[in-house]
Each structure stands twice: as structure tokens, then as C-alpha cells.
Amino acid sequence: MSSIRFALAQLNPIVGDITGNSLAILEAVRDAHGRGARVIVTPELSVTGYPVEDLASSSDFIRQSEIGVAALATRIAADGFGDAIVVVGFVERATEEEFGGARAHNSLAVLSHGKVVATYAKRHLPTYSVFDEERIFVPGAGTLIMNLGGVATGFLICEDLWRDDGPVSELAEHDLDVVVVINASPFDTAKDETRFPLLHTRALEFRAPVVYVNAVGGQDDLVFDGDSAVLDAEGTVLLRAPLFTPALELIDITGTGFAGDGISLTEPSDTITPSVALDLPDIEATWNALVLGVRDYTLKNGFPSIVLGLSGGIDSAVCATIAADAIGAQRVFGVSMPSQFSSDGSKDDARALATNLGCHYDTHPIAELVEPFERELNLSGLAAENIQARARGMVLMSLSNQHGHLVLSTGNKSEVAVGYSTIYGDSVGGYAPLKDVFKTLVWDLARWRNSVATERGETPPIPENSISKPPSAELRPDQTDQDSLPPYDVLDAILEQLISRRDSIDTVISHGFERSTVERVAGLITGAEWKRRQGAIGPRISRMAFGRERRLPITMRQTPGLG
Amino acid sequence: MSSIRFALAQLNPIVGDITGNSLAILEAVRDAHGRGARVIVTPELSVTGYPVEDLASSSDFIRQSEIGVAALATRIAADGFGDAIVVVGFVERATEEEFGGARAHNSLAVLSHGKVVATYAKRHLPTYSVFDEERIFVPGAGTLIMNLGGVATGFLICEDLWRDDGPVSELAEHDLDVVVVINASPFDTAKDETRFPLLHTRALEFRAPVVYVNAVGGQDDLVFDGDSAVLDAEGTVLLRAPLFTPALELIDITGTGFAGDGISLTEPSDTITPSVALDLPDIEATWNALVLGVRDYTLKNGFPSIVLGLSGGIDSAVCATIAADAIGAQRVFGVSMPSQFSSDGSKDDARALATNLGCHYDTHPIAELVEPFERELNLSGLAAENIQARARGMVLMSLSNQHGHLVLSTGNKSEVAVGYSTIYGDSVGGYAPLKDVFKTLVWDLARWRNSVATERGETPPIPENSISKPPSAELRPDQTDQDSLPPYDVLDAILEQLISRRDSIDTVISHGFERSTVERVAGLITGAEWKRRQGAIGPRISRMAFGRERRLPITMRQTPGLG
């Protein structure tokens, strides 16, 4: 019987930044080693970041990944931690190139005493939803089981754990003391319903504890939530890392005396109690995911600040609040761009929001910017409405050009779905925080964030009027969104079925919605595909986000009955 | 010994348009049957169009595809052609849903006497380059061999033919009279080097003729070139359909007396000589691909006309000429939008181009549109340059809003690669004809198109001055592209290596390019990823087009040495 301290290093890598990611791993090793840990586990592709996409097809990148891992092993030993086992994820050259060009494995490396002592290549390559791993990776073969200081340890990488066949069933045939799973598993609001039940099931199948280490952080449209955990052999949660933040968590794992050759490890001299972080309600997890997505897109891409238009409406108010929570209000620049159709109420609400948040605030009226276009081109109707939105987009992009701000696009998922936006107008920007947030959820988030402020004794940031007034683009007199669209509760319910559940029009109608409404919405979704292709990316929080998760042609005849 | 007439129906389907595609198949059957054909072969997914992308994950779409095929079989028989064999491609429900959600096959159906008498599901699913078939399809199992009027016929679908293992090796074990391959194989300029050599090799392996039927037409960024063909058992080309146009080609195939149960077919009463279309030089094939891409994007999406800015430069001149070749000059609207930096030469060249083409021409100077922005925002430098480009974008989009034109974005691949463009400015539009055409190739195309006009006794459309003058964005006095970029022959050579060949920076330098230049270009490529994600699609003509063929993160630390 031996007891070895394991560390779960819930890290936030940057794709491609092999040097920076290696330094973060080294820092975690230093910290964990000092606290008695001798097995330090980092997430899937912790050295290269995840997802690497077509970087995995570059021979040069593969070489750098392999050199990076070797250098990291050397450095860990040189710094005096060679007596620890460090588990990292990296891109490894495959023996053979596949037809089509995949030539690398998604692998883990076990580092010890300055060397890579073992590797394991992921066998199940997810190729659905947001994942394209069969495109870029060659599947591995075999399993990896090691004696780590007397602890019989099996290894898996992410998707391997989700499939019954292959490595899961093969590891279950052995008497293991622990199964280590390294992951880069992105957040969505349905994840809770599947991740922990799966870990529970696997622990029972393995008759052994499961150490689940996930990445954390925003990477383009994906937000990794962390939520690393350890379950015992009965499926009871012994350790749970906090969500949406890097963490280093420790737990002692008992070995039952493994027969094979092993790596000697020092047992801990003290005892610890693993922490079990509380789960978050969906609404809070969603808010945190949006904040982390915005923060990491901004900081990892080197933007010093954020600029966005403040209309007085709910979408821009929620976006500004997310931005302030992400990088601090003093780095957020709100711009009011009123026209003759902007109500006094809207202008007041925009100013009140900025005051509540403590962000920068400036005003650039657009009447004089728009008028020359209207005159030169004799614009009216939709063309005239669009010019207003586009003039605002030009103002924001000019401010970005002058000051280096990241422009946030404030459109929500309901608008993006039906194309209720002006392309090159209100859609401009590098990142769209609400792209995967339906309008009804935007309201819920606003109310929730205000209530949190109240609980903390702070001023609720979002003006009550922005939440309660009827939504309007204010591009013509007395316009409201409901002149053009069904009420948002109806629209969002239809969108949820047509998009997220891929229900047919007939199925949606059978749930009590009007045929004409459902057919019109379905037509709008198809017609807006070309705009969506040119839209900014934004943080994914659902199981059917626009972008790489939902791939449809632009050129497509609407087949009746199809969502 | 029997002889059966086969028809190769090189069709141009629209994705999702099951009814329209079925009618086109029916029309081909009618025509072919009247000319004695009794086996009529259509392309891969001829009923649904290709690529269907995530439509294949919709139960409703799969059902419609299956119903569509059954209805087509019935209709063919009802119209009096039930005595013919018709081979179509369709999306077929798989017996089991895969982990991740794929639930359909990419199948072919053999129709006879009003019924689906056999199906075959594609076994090799390409998941590289522009293809995502493992995402959406379940691979098939087994082979299909049928006695069609005494002709022992084996069947394959596209990628099956390219792999040595599986169905190719299994069919090669039989004594077949012919192998029929249905395809949706998109054009690129390197295709010639691989497609016919492969067909030659396979004919020898099968010891039998190969009937290769490909789709034709533009579908978003993909252009299918047709180029359907028949090779005899020695690999000699007996028939070759014309490129870039729908066609119906006939050939008689001899059966050597197949032992199994067969479908009786009437032998032809006359003799025919198959046509062998000439191959096209690369430059002409490229031009035709661009024209077909623009034509089908415009017409399949229901646009009545095209609008684009005419700067007097080479890119807009070539785009306008492609547009005129695609849908006729009378439906093309050129707009000159001069500023104080536009030279008289440029304005003359724009006007001369429009006159040569016979397209519409209008002028909207931008000085008065830009000035209010410069004043309101105190713009200078890059921000002021961008405002000019964005004002032009607003003018074009307004004209599109007013008249329903498709806006063409005129940027070329060199610009798109390094981000030498203004997002929401010169990049606006629904389709970008030159997105996959390097600048040096734009010049070659211009010269080639002018020479064709001269040969035909027509006025060369593109003013000589647009070809010969130094390229300039004309956003500040005396600006030329080479103030910011290396000479285009150098730039394009570097881009070809870094992008198309995925060479490392060190490899490019070893070919004689300056380190500082190569590193700067590599940095520009990475930094422009966010713009490319928001750019219009355009026709793919190379083996590494931007878009679905090259998938890289936006958030990415440049690792030294990586292209």
C-alpha cells in the first residue's frame, strides 16, 4: 500500500504558444511539487493549446511540439523536479501519414527524470459538433498502464472516456488504482447533465478512482470551463476544481501494490483535504462563460481595450457589463451614436449604464454622417435604415483604428438566426458576446446580473428601463422589433426547435405554433446564412452554436418542411 | 455478348432542391432514352446536390431524400422509361446512428421499372481538404455488382476510387465488364495531374472500362468541372465530356455474358461515336471556373444582377469581365467612386472598361461622404484611409439594397492572405471572384482574356493601362501597393510556399527569400485571420483555398518558424 499525491493542473493554454504554455506547466509543477505532489496532470494538448486545427498538418508545428515536450522534460528536471511524474498533452508525429494528409497523433506524454518515459495516442477522434479531429489526427492503438510509485495508473484522452468501446473497455479489464483522463472539453449549458454522470459510470466500470483534468479559458468561440474532478471507485466526488478559472488541486491516491516495474515516487509527509467546489446555477455559469470568452479573446489577442456602441437597449447594456466584468470598466469605451429616431429615453439609458459601470462614454450623433449618403443615393426604406447602422459601424471601426480597441458586436442569437441586423453595420466587430444567447436569455442574464449587484450592495449596472421597454432598432419613427418579428418568447421557442433540435417545420407546428410563423422563421434562417458567414465569432454556450457547430450551405433551395 | 448504351448525365444540381434536381434527372433520362441509352448514370448525390453538409443530420432531410428517390423512380416509369436503368446519388438513412450523430449514408440507388432495385453506400468518406464526410455520413459496407443487360457492372462513389483498399481491391477480384463511378469532385488547377492518371490505373486494375460521371456547376465556394469520361480496359480515353457545362454523353459498353441474374435491357439499334472533348489549358480552365462560380452563385441565389466598384485597377476590371461573361454585361452595374486621390488615369480606365464590356456605369464621388466622418472623428492616417474604403462599401451595399444586385468583392488572394484590404470596406460583398487568385495570376488572366477577345475580333475588355500600371489602393497621394508589400512576384512566391505548401519559414528562406520579408509575410497572414473569417466566399481553384480548406484559429501565438 502506498499513497501518492496527485495534482490536477487546470491550465489555460494559448494555441501555438509552446513556450508560454510550457512555462505555465513548469510553474504548476513547481507549486505542486512544493506541496508534496509527485504526479502532476495537465489538460489535453496542454503544450500546444486546443484546438490546434490545421496546425496539426504542419510538419514544422509537429516538430516544434515534440521539441517543446522534450525541452520541458529537461527543464523540469533541471529545476529540481525530475523526481515527479508530469503528464502533458502534445501533438506527436504519427508513424504513417493518412490518405488526405493527417500525420499526427493527439497524444499525452509522461515525463520523468528529464525524459519522455511513455506516450499514449488518443484513439477516439471526435468528428462532430465543433470537433474535426479525424481531419487532422491519426488514431492511436493500444492502452497505457503505468506503475507510478505503486499506483497502477491507466490513461485516457477526453473522447476516449465517452465511448464504451476501445480503451475504456480495455482498461476496465485490469485492476487499476486510478484512471487519469486529460481533457479539453468545452463548456455548454447542457454539459453538467452528461459529464458527471459519465464520470460516475466510468468509475464504477473501472472499479477505481477517476482523475479528470480539463482545460480552462477562452479560445476563439470555445470556452473551456475547467471543472476538473476526482471521483472514487464508488463514483463519489472527492474533489472538484472551481469553474472558469485556472486552479491547482491536490489529492492523495492509494496504490494497492502494483506488480509491474514502477517509477519510485516519494509519498507525502502530510495529509490534505481535497476541495470540492460548488456547482454553479446555469445562469451564473453562462455569465461566467461569456465573461471568460470576452476576456481571453481580448487579452490573448493583445487588445488593450474594448469599444462598443451603447444604444440604450438591452443587448449593448449586457455586452458592456460583460466587457467590464472581463477586463475592468476603465478599459471599456461606450459610444452613443444617436439619430433623430433615438428617443430621449434611449440616450438617457445609455448614459446611465456607462455611469453605473464606470466605463468611458462618448457621443457621436450620426445625422450629419448619414445625410450625404441619403442625398447622393436617394435612399429610402430599408436602404436608408441600413445606412444608419453602417454609419455607426464606421464610427466604431474608426475608433478602433485610432485607439486599438477591440470592437464588440452586440447582436444576440435570435437576431443572428433570422438576420435581423445590418451586415457591415451593427454586425461589425471582432467578437460577439451574445452570438449564442437568445434574446429571452439576454433579459434573464440582465436581471440576474443586476440582482447580484444588489446582493453585493452595488448599483445594479443595467438600467431597469433597458430591460423593461419594448426592444427597437430605432431606425425609423416608433419602430419596434415586433413590427418585423414574432414576440421574442415565441421566436426563441421556434428557433430552439428548428436550430438546436433540428426539428422539422411540421414538428414545430405540432407543438402549437402557427404554420405561417414557423415557415417564415425557417425562411429567414436560411436567407441569413450568408450574413452569418461574415459575422464575428462569439463564445459558444449551447449545443448548437452558429459557426463551426452548424455547417450549412449558403446556396440552398429551401425544401419545404426543413428547418 | 451484348452491347448496352450507357449515358453519362453530367448534371448541375442545387443543394436541397430535391424536386428541381429530380426534374433535371428526368429530363436527362428522357433525352438519353430517346437516343437509345438504357443505363443512365448521374453524379454523386444528384438528387440532393453536393455537399449537403449538416443537412445530412436532419431526419427530415433524409426522409425527403428517400421519398424523392422513390418518387423519381415512379415518375421515370410513368413517363415510359421504366425499361431503363437510372443510377442516382442520394442521402440514405443508415441502420444505426453513430456516436456524435451521423445517421445517413452517401449512397447511390439503381432505379428500374419504377423501383429502387439496389443501393450502395460510399465506404471511404473524405475528411480532409474541403470535405467533412466523416462528420455527416456513416460508411457503407460491401460491394455492389449487377448484371445490367448482360453487362457485369461494379459501382463506386467518388472517394472509393481514390483509395487502394476496400471496394477498389474487392471489385478488382471480379471479372467485370465495366465499373461505374459517380462523383462530385470539385475543380482545382492540379486536378488534371491526378484524375486521369488515377482513372488509367484503375481501368488496368479492373481490367475493365471505367465510366466516370462527375457533377458540374458552382456551389458556394466549390466549382465542379464535369470532365466526365470513359476509359477502356487498357486505360485509353474513349469519351470525355466538355468541361464546365452540363452534358449528356453516350457510349456503348459490351457485356461478355454475365452469369448471375440480370435485368434485361434493349440493345441499341444504331451505332454512335463517343465524343472526346479537348482538355483546356490551365488558364482557360481557371477562367471558366471563375465564370461558372460567379454565374451559379448569382443565379442559384436568385440575384437579377451584379454591382461592383470599378477603380480603374486590374482586380475590379477582371471581376467585371468575369461577371459579364457569367451573366451578360447588361446585368452588370459598374460604379466608379473616385476620391481626391483617384488619378485621372484611373477614372478613365474605369470608364473605358465599362464601355468595352457594355455594362452599366455610374459615378458616385466619395469626398462629401467621407468628409463628415473625418471632421467628427478627427481622422488621419490608416483610420482616414479606411473610411474611404468603407464609404465605398456603404455605397455599393446601398445600391444592392435598392436594386437587389449581388455585390462582388474584388479582392484577390494575395490581399486576402496578408490582410491588405479594409474590412467592411473594399471587402464587402456576397461573392469574391478572385479570393483564390493570386495577384500575379490576376494579371495573367487579364492578358489571356484580352487575347481571346482579339482572336475573336472583339475589343479586348481590360484597358492596357489597368494591366501595366503599378497597383495602388489610391487611399493617399502617390500610394502604391509596394509601399506596404513586397513586389507581387516575390509576395506570391512566398505565399504559395507558406500557405499552399505549408512550408516553414526556414524552408522558404532556404529557397532564397529574405528572412525579414518572409517573417513579415507570415505575421501578416496570421494577423489577417480574423478578417478572412468575415470575408465573402469565392470560387476555389487551388489546392489550398482560404475558407473551409484551411482551418486555423484566430487566437494564436505566432510560433517562430511557422507559416
Side-chain angles (χ1 to χ4, degrees):
Chain A
M1 296 286 279
S2 58
S3 178
I4 300 298
R5 186 159 295 166
F6 279 55
L8 292 75
Q10 180 170 292
L11 299 173
N12 182 355
I14 298 178
V15 168
D17 187 13
I18 292 171
T19 306
N21 298 335
S22 296
L23 288 173
I25 293 168
L26 188 67
E27 194 53 47
V29 168
R30 184 189 315 275
D31 186 356
H33 193 277
R35 292 158 66 190
R38 289 299 178 271
V39 178
I40 297 113
V41 184
T42 69
E44 182 179 13
L45 295 189
S46 55
V47 170
T48 59
Y50 185 97
V52 290
E53 307 193 43
D54 288 357
L55 286 173
S57 306
S58 154
S59 291
D60 213 47
F61 185 77
I62 299 168
R63 191 170 48 80
Q64 293 198 18
S65 167
E66 294 188 329
I67 291 171
V69 169
L72 177 59
T74 306
R75 177 69 184 271
I76 288 170
D79 282 11
F81 313 117
D83 62 340
I85 295 290
V86 181
V87 179
V88 300
F90 76 116
V91 175
E92 180 184 25
R93 181 171 301 280
T95 318
E96 284 187 45
E97 186 171 327
E98 286 192 340
F99 192 95
R103 57 176 73 171
H105 294 304
N106 176 342
S107 290
L108 67 74
V110 179
L111 315 183
S112 169
H113 292 289
K115 297 268 187 285
V116 175
V117 295
T119 63
Y120 166 78
K122 189 176 187 176
R123 289 171 59 184
H124 286 301
L125 302 173
T127 304
Y128 56 82
S129 174
V130 297
F131 307 108
D132 282 303
E133 294 199 18
E134 298 207 43
R135 172 183 175 86
I136 55 169
F137 290 125
V138 179
T143 54
L144 176 64
I145 297 174
M146 295 181 79
N147 174 351
L148 303 180
V151 178
T153 308
F155 293 90
L156 295 172
I157 303 178
C158 206
E159 186 80 359
D160 289 335
L161 188 76
W162 292 80
R163 313 274 187 105
D164 296 327
D165 61 322
V168 159
S169 63
E170 293 166 28
L171 287 186
E173 291 170 10
H174 296 265
D175 282 325
L176 299 177
D177 296 321
V178 68
V179 175
V180 166
V181 195
I182 67 171
N183 306 271
S185 177
F187 170 77
D188 64 62
T189 47
K191 204 86 194 198
D192 259 9
E193 297 159 26
T194 51
R195 191 187 280 161
F196 274 83
L198 177 77
L199 289 171
H200 181 94
T201 302
R202 293 305 186 220
L204 298 181
E205 289 172 1
F206 294 138
R207 303 170 311 283
V210 175
V211 171
Y212 177 94
V213 180
N214 192 19
V216 72
Q219 168 62 40
D220 287 351
D221 51 330
L222 302 183
V223 179
F224 300 94
D225 54 342
D227 209 6
S228 302
V230 180
L231 286 75
D232 68 16
E234 284 74 45
T236 306
V237 177
L238 300 182
L239 180 156
R240 190 167 181 186
L243 283 84
F244 301 108
T245 182
L248 186 71
E249 303 291 330
L250 306 178
I251 190 164
D252 293 340
I253 302 282
T254 303
T256 51
F258 189 63
D261 284 347
I263 295 168
S264 299
L265 297 173
T266 307
E267 298 194 37
S269 55
D270 58 347
T271 58
I272 49 162
T273 307
S275 356
V276 181
L278 288 183
D279 197 11
L280 300 178
D282 270 1
I283 191 88
E284 184 172 359
T286 301
W287 184 269
N288 290 355
L290 300 175
V291 168
L292 183 53
V294 170
R295 179 189 300 133
D296 276 4
Y297 187 86
T298 307
L299 302 184
K300 289 181 177 179
N301 285 293
F303 290 101
S305 48
I306 283 172
V307 68
L308 76 170
L310 300 183
S311 69
I314 184 72
D315 295 328
S316 58
V318 169
C319 280
T321 309
I322 291 169
D325 283 0
I327 62 166
Q330 72 285 359
R331 293 207 268 164
V332 175
F333 293 76
V335 185
S336 168
M337 294 171 285
S339 75
Q340 74 261 41
F341 307 121
S342 303
S343 66
D344 287 343
S346 290
K347 288 183 268 191
D348 293 345
D349 294 338
R351 179 177 293 278
L353 171 77
T355 304
N356 296 345
L357 286 178
C359 72
H360 302 269
Y361 182 75
D362 206 350
T363 301
H364 292 292
I366 62 166
E368 290 183 21
L369 308 177
V370 162
E371 194 273 334
F373 284 92
E374 293 179 333
R375 188 161 25 98
E376 171 72 21
L377 300 165
N378 279 314
L379 300 182
S380 62
L382 182 67
E385 294 183 24
N386 280 339
I387 277 289
Q388 298 171 53
R390 291 193 176 117
R392 293 186 174 117
M394 286 173 73
V395 170
L396 294 175
M397 292 305 296
S398 295
L399 295 171
S400 170
N401 284 156
Q402 288 181 302
H403 305 292
H405 309 307
L406 167 66
V407 178
L408 290 187
S409 173
T410 59
N412 62 62
K413 187 174 188 175
S414 312
E415 292 174 353
V416 171
V418 296
Y420 192 71
S421 66
T422 299
I423 189 168
Y424 320 127
D426 48 309
S427 73
V428 309
Y431 206 67
L434 303 181
K435 182 176 186 176
D436 199 28
V437 182
F438 284 124
K439 185 79 173 190
T440 45
L441 181 53
V442 176
W443 277 307
D444 291 344
L445 286 166
R447 288 192 200 95
W448 174 84
R449 182 63 182 76
N450 275 358
S451 74
V452 168
T454 303
E455 280 169 31
R456 293 183 192 152
E458 298 167 358
T459 309
I462 299 161
E464 192 49 42
N465 194 40
S466 296
I467 301 176
S468 57
K469 70 184 173 188
S472 167
E474 295 195 327
L475 296 172
R476 59 174 185 264
D478 302 321
Q479 182 183 28
T480 77
D481 292 7
Q482 271 51 68
D483 300 345
S484 314
L485 299 175
Y488 277 112
D489 54 345
V490 174
L491 177 64
D492 286 358
I494 293 173
L495 292 173
E496 178 68 32
Q497 294 172 77
L498 288 177
I499 293 169
S500 314
R501 285 161 41 181
R502 295 190 197 275
D503 282 344
S504 71
I505 288 178
D506 286 342
T507 303
V508 179
I509 291 164
S510 75
H511 294 153
F513 296 88
E514 277 182 29
R515 174 171 294 278
S516 61
T517 306
V518 179
E519 286 180 348
R520 192 163 70 86
V521 170
L524 290 171
I525 295 170
T526 304
E529 182 59 29
W530 81 277
K531 284 193 199 180
R532 277 193 294 274
R533 292 287 190 92
Q534 297 190 32
I537 61 168
R540 170 181 177 269
I541 59 158
S542 79
R543 286 255 162 118
M544 188 53 79
F546 290 121
R548 68 175 117 186
E549 189 160 18
R550 183 177 183 273
R551 303 180 193 172
L552 288 171
I554 295 174
T555 301
M556 177 168 81
R557 283 288 149 83
Q558 185 78 1
T559 305
L562 272 188
Chain B
M1 297 285 280
S2 58
S3 178
I4 301 297
R5 185 158 296 167
F6 279 55
L8 292 75
Q10 179 171 293
L11 299 174
N12 183 355
I14 298 179
V15 168
D17 188 12
I18 292 171
T19 306
N21 298 336
S22 296
L23 288 173
I25 293 169
L26 188 66
E27 194 53 46
V29 169
R30 183 190 315 276
D31 186 357
H33 193 276
R35 292 156 66 190
R38 289 299 179 271
V39 178
I40 298 111
V41 183
T42 69
E44 181 180 13
L45 294 189
S46 55
V47 169
T48 59
Y50 184 97
V52 290
E53 307 193 41
D54 287 356
L55 287 173
S57 306
S58 155
S59 291
D60 213 46
F61 185 77
I62 300 168
R63 191 171 48 82
Q64 293 197 18
S65 167
E66 294 188 329
I67 291 171
V69 169
L72 177 60
T74 306
R75 176 69 184 271
I76 287 169
D79 282 11
F81 313 117
D83 63 340
I85 295 290
V86 180
V87 180
V88 300
F90 76 117
V91 175
E92 181 185 24
R93 182 172 300 279
T95 318
E96 285 187 45
E97 186 171 326
E98 287 192 340
F99 192 95
R103 59 176 72 173
H105 294 304
N106 176 341
S107 291
L108 67 73
V110 180
L111 315 182
S112 170
H113 293 289
K115 298 265 187 289
V116 175
V117 295
T119 63
Y120 166 79
K122 191 177 186 176
R123 290 172 58 184
H124 286 301
L125 301 174
T127 304
Y128 56 82
S129 174
V130 298
F131 307 108
D132 282 304
E133 294 199 18
E134 298 205 44
R135 173 183 173 86
I136 54 170
F137 290 126
V138 179
T143 55
L144 176 64
I145 297 174
M146 295 182 77
N147 174 353
L148 303 180
V151 178
T153 308
F155 293 90
L156 295 172
I157 303 179
C158 208
E159 186 80 359
D160 289 335
L161 188 75
W162 291 79
R163 313 274 187 106
D164 296 326
D165 60 322
V168 159
S169 62
E170 293 165 29
L171 286 186
E173 291 169 11
H174 296 265
D175 282 325
L176 299 176
D177 295 322
V178 67
V179 174
V180 166
V181 194
I182 68 172
N183 307 271
S185 178
F187 170 76
D188 64 63
T189 46
K191 204 86 193 199
D192 257 9
E193 297 159 26
T194 52
R195 190 187 281 160
F196 275 84
L198 177 78
L199 289 171
H200 180 94
T201 303
R202 294 304 186 221
L204 297 181
E205 288 171 3
F206 295 137
R207 304 170 311 280
V210 175
V211 171
Y212 177 94
V213 180
N214 192 20
V216 73
Q219 168 63 37
D220 287 350
D221 51 331
L222 302 183
V223 180
F224 300 94
D225 54 342
D227 209 7
S228 303
V230 180
L231 285 76
D232 69 16
E234 283 75 45
T236 306
V237 177
L238 301 180
L239 179 156
R240 190 167 181 186
L243 283 85
F244 301 107
T245 181
L248 186 72
E249 302 291 329
L250 306 177
I251 190 165
D252 294 341
I253 303 283
T254 303
T256 52
F258 189 65
D261 283 349
I263 295 167
S264 299
L265 297 174
T266 307
E267 300 195 35
S269 55
D270 57 349
T271 58
I272 49 162
T273 307
S275 349
V276 182
L278 288 184
D279 197 11
L280 300 178
D282 269 1
I283 190 90
E284 183 172 0
T286 301
W287 184 269
N288 290 354
L290 300 175
V291 168
L292 183 54
V294 170
R295 179 189 300 134
D296 277 3
Y297 187 86
T298 307
L299 302 184
K300 289 181 178 180
N301 286 293
F303 290 100
S305 49
I306 283 172
V307 68
L308 77 170
L310 300 183
S311 68
I314 185 72
D315 296 327
S316 59
V318 169
C319 280
T321 309
I322 290 169
D325 283 2
I327 62 167
Q330 72 286 357
R331 294 207 269 165
V332 176
F333 293 77
V335 184
S336 168
M337 295 170 284
S339 75
Q340 74 262 40
F341 306 121
S342 303
S343 66
D344 288 343
S346 290
K347 288 182 265 189
D348 293 347
D349 294 339
R351 178 176 293 277
L353 171 78
T355 305
N356 295 345
L357 286 177
C359 71
H360 302 269
Y361 181 75
D362 207 350
T363 301
H364 293 291
I366 61 166
E368 291 183 20
L369 308 178
V370 163
E371 194 272 334
F373 284 90
E374 294 179 332
R375 188 161 25 96
E376 171 72 21
L377 300 165
N378 279 315
L379 300 182
S380 62
L382 182 66
E385 293 183 25
N386 280 338
I387 276 289
Q388 298 171 53
R390 293 194 175 116
R392 292 186 175 117
M394 285 173 73
V395 169
L396 294 175
M397 291 306 296
S398 294
L399 295 171
S400 170
N401 284 155
Q402 288 180 303
H403 306 292
H405 308 308
L406 168 66
V407 177
L408 290 187
S409 172
T410 60
N412 61 62
K413 187 174 188 175
S414 312
E415 292 174 352
V416 170
V418 296
Y420 193 71
S421 66
T422 300
I423 188 166
Y424 321 127
D426 48 309
S427 72
V428 310
Y431 207 68
L434 303 180
K435 182 177 187 177
D436 198 29
V437 182
F438 284 124
K439 184 80 172 189
T440 46
L441 181 53
V442 177
W443 277 307
D444 291 345
L445 287 166
R447 289 192 200 94
W448 174 84
R449 182 61 183 78
N450 274 358
S451 73
V452 168
T454 304
E455 279 169 31
R456 290 183 193 152
E458 298 167 358
T459 308
I462 299 161
E464 192 52 39
N465 194 40
S466 297
I467 301 175
S468 57
K469 70 183 173 189
S472 168
E474 294 193 328
L475 295 173
R476 58 175 186 262
D478 302 322
Q479 181 183 30
T480 77
D481 292 7
Q482 271 53 67
D483 300 344
S484 313
L485 299 174
Y488 277 112
D489 55 343
V490 173
L491 177 63
D492 286 358
I494 294 172
L495 292 173
E496 177 69 31
Q497 294 171 78
L498 288 177
I499 294 169
S500 314
R501 285 161 41 183
R502 296 190 197 274
D503 282 343
S504 70
I505 288 178
D506 285 342
T507 303
V508 179
I509 292 164
S510 75
H511 294 154
F513 296 89
E514 278 181 30
R515 175 172 294 276
S516 62
T517 307
V518 179
E519 285 180 347
R520 192 162 70 86
V521 169
L524 290 171
I525 295 169
T526 303
E529 182 60 29
W530 81 277
K531 284 193 197 180
R532 276 192 295 273
R533 291 287 189 91
Q534 297 190 31
I537 61 168
R540 169 181 179 269
I541 60 158
S542 80
R543 287 254 162 119
M544 189 53 77
F546 290 121
R548 69 175 114 188
E549 189 161 19
R550 184 178 182 274
R551 303 181 193 171
L552 288 171
I554 295 174
T555 301
M556 177 168 81
R557 283 288 148 82
Q558 184 78 3
T559 305
L562 273 186

